[in-house]
Amino acid sequence: SWTFDLRLLLPNLSPLNEAILNAVLNNIHSPLCFILGNKGIVVTDPDYRQKMPQTKNLEIHEISGGHHLHLDEAESVAKILIPYFGDAS
């Protein structure tokens, strides 16, 4: 049967604020790929693109789908990710 970690239901004792998030993301120097669904959680905030930090090497991909893109839209997600990992063939 399906189970999950009950700690996932606990409140976050140290939430990331925008300043901390921006500091962390702006110190990542490798390419970043952010894939989100146009019906997902992030898109419900109308200003989400403006809130995205000015992170170096950040590519945002918005595709049709919800929160579980890697499960529901696996082929679309794979097409986006393959260039980041290189061609395995």
Side-chain angles (χ1 to χ4, degrees):
S1 74
W2 185 82
T3 63
F4 65 96
D5 188 341
L6 291 175
R7 292 176 290 183
L8 293 172
L9 300 175
L10 296 174
N12 188 350
L13 298 177
S14 58
L16 292 177
N17 61 35
E18 280 190 55
I20 294 171
L21 180 61
N22 288 338
V24 170
L25 291 175
N26 284 322
N27 280 293
I28 297 173
H29 301 288
S30 60
L32 294 172
C33 179
F34 181 47
I35 305 172
L36 67 153
N38 62 356
K39 299 176 192 102
I41 295 169
V42 175
V43 182
T44 58
D45 180 350
D47 299 322
Y48 80 93
R49 283 203 188 262
Q50 288 74 31
K51 290 181 179 177
M52 295 299 294
Q54 300 302 314
T55 304
K56 300 176 285 281
N57 301 319
L58 173 65
E59 249 185 64
I60 300 172
H61 300 270
E62 187 174 318
I63 62 176
S64 178
H67 180 69
H68 296 104
L69 290 174
H70 62 294
L71 300 172
D72 301 330
E73 302 296 332
E75 189 172 327
S76 297
V77 171
K79 286 179 183 177
I80 294 169
L81 289 177
I82 285 172
Y84 286 89
F85 296 109
D87 188 0
S89 60

